[in-house]
Amino acid sequence: MSQQLNPATMSGLEILQAMAEGVFPHPSICDTMPMQCVDVSEGQVHFSVQADDRHLNPMGGVHGGFAATVLDSVTGCATHTTLIAGESYGTVDLNVKMVRPIPKNTALQAKGKVLNVSKTVVISEGDIRDENGKLYAHCTATCVITRQTK
């Protein structure tokens, strides 16, 4: 691209697409929680995720915080795709249901999608599944939107 991109003038969808394409660096949380954007479109995101030895609890299993962080990320990014330039969001509620233990060193798919957008709130849901579609965790999220004032 010959033109330098400015995140301040880009929509949320454009920013996430640029990250997925490697134009912008990935957020540092991706170094802690291995997440890679596979696909992003308006109202939806798809990440590839994989827990490893860094994510274990004292019993040797993958800490529940791994799933919670991944689900907060996919629901937040799905929300982000609905924003225009200059708008922001914050998660105000994240309701996570752990269905079964997250396996270590196993590639999983995490998806988030927007269910409803209102003037100040976005409701979304997310899940983590294996390659066969087996559900590991599910969540609903509520994000508050800071809209631009005119």
Side-chain angles (χ1 to χ4, degrees), residues 17-130:
Q17 287 171 331
M19 283 182 187
E21 294 167 5
V23 175
F24 292 153
H26 65 265
S28 59
I29 190 67
C30 296
D31 296 331
T32 305
M33 303 290 184
M35 298 184 280
Q36 182 177 353
C37 185
V38 174
D39 188 39
V40 59
S41 58
E42 187 166 352
Q44 298 186 77
V45 296
H46 174 189
F47 289 3
S48 174
V49 301
Q50 185 167 316
D52 58 37
D53 286 332
R54 297 174 293 168
H55 308 111
L56 303 182
N57 61 32
M59 297 176 292
V62 174
H63 191 283
F66 178 85
T69 301
V70 167
L71 290 169
D72 185 41
S73 297
V74 295
T75 56
C77 287
T79 294
H80 197 168
T81 67
T82 69
L83 304 181
I84 64 171
E87 294 182 336
S88 62
Y89 72 93
T91 303
V92 295
D93 180 66
L94 184 69
N95 188 330
V96 177
K97 301 293 184 200
M98 307 295 194
V99 177
R100 57 183 44 90
I102 299 286
K104 183 177 84 166
N105 298 325
T106 302
L108 300 172
Q109 305 305 308
K111 295 183 180 181
K113 77 175 182 179
V114 169
L115 301 176
N116 189 68
V117 178
S118 71
K119 186 174 179 180
T120 58
V121 171
V122 175
I123 307 296
S124 58
E125 69 178 355
D127 61 44
I128 301 173
R129 296 177 184 268
D130 67 14

